[in-house]
Amino acid sequence: MSAVAKALLAGGAALALMLGLGLHANAAEQVDVELVLAVDVSLSMSPDELEIQRHGYAAALTHERVLEVIAEGAFGKIAVTYVEWAGSTSQIVVVPWTVIANRADAERVVRQLSAKPPNSARRTSISSALEFGTDLFAESAFRGLKRVIDISGDGPNNQGPPVDLIRDAAVAQGITINGLPLMTNGGFGNAYDVEDLDRYYADCVIGGPGAFMIPVNEWSQFPEAIRRKLVMELAGPASRQWAAEEAAHPPVMLAQAQPKYDCLIGEKLWRDRSWLWDSR
């Protein structure tokens, strides 16, 4: 085979590969929102609290108001994945990417969510959870008008990269991070807690267009907080649903333009610990 023929063959193969990649990209199913639900399962969470979280997400995903907001979207469907996380190497996908367009879809997700008991592991790495969530978008077979990581947790980052740097990297990719700080102090000790976890989340964790967080001060508030949060992040800050939820159930705290909180507070508390219980 001549050099010219070889060059033409190689060029044709490259063009076919490019066309194939383009067709694959175009084949991605369009949805209104790609949503990563990232849920804290560190040892600071008691078994009862882990179950409350699971039940709260299950109830919210099948709530009539949430289903209405999904149906009102441009495509009338979202793609969701549910991840449980703890330390820097502890991230488990409980529900892989799944479309929700109606109640039957939502109930299918709930069955997956309820199939196995919650996981639990040591330490708290919000930053690694955000990195993992960001990677999940690259694996998604969907293309959303918005990409959102919805992260809940009961303490500051104490393992892995600095959380604000990972947050900023995710936001630079067009990802919005919303938060649900759990200010409940119901698990194993609170040596690594911060009293104003809501401020920490506002300054160090959440970010991106329309980013917000809803603090939970006691577990009885959790199911309603999850429902509100889903409605607001699926509808968006310019929607009537957002305005109605914010007016009816304050407070909703937006991301801060200029962080004032020490975003390394969790790492410092861990470094300066005076006891060796390796829980958070």
Side-chain angles (χ1 to χ4, degrees), residues 54-64 66 110 113 223 226-227 230:
R54 282 278 188 94
H55 293 316
Y57 280 98
L61 288 169
T62 54
H63 194 282
E64 191 62 36
V66 172
V110 168
L113 191 58
I226 289 294
R227 184 202 65 77
L230 287 177

Side-chain angles (χ1 to χ4, degrees), residues 7-20:
L8 290 172
L9 183 61
L15 179 60
L17 178 61
M18 291 175 64
L19 289 174

Side-chain angles (χ1 to χ4, degrees), residues 54-140:
R54 282 278 188 94
H55 293 316
Y57 280 98
L61 288 169
T62 54
H63 194 282
E64 191 62 36
R65 192 70 195 96
V66 172
L67 295 175
E68 287 175 1
V69 172
I70 292 173
E72 291 171 1
F75 299 106
K77 55 187 174 180
I78 66 170
V80 62
T81 180
Y82 186 100
V83 179
E84 291 180 337
W85 61 271
S88 58
T89 60
S90 300
Q91 302 92 29
I92 295 178
V93 176
V94 179
V95 180
W97 284 111
T98 305
V99 166
I100 298 179
N102 50 48
R103 180 169 295 280
D105 293 337
E107 290 175 349
R108 189 178 306 117
V109 170
V110 168
R111 286 195 295 272
Q112 291 179 278
L113 191 58
S114 307
K116 296 180 180 179
N119 300 283
S120 189
R122 295 178 175 180
R123 304 292 293 270
T124 300
S125 184
I126 301 172
S127 56
S128 297
L130 293 178
E131 284 185 311
F132 188 82
T134 299
D135 289 342
L136 286 175
F137 290 118
E139 301 171 7
S140 168

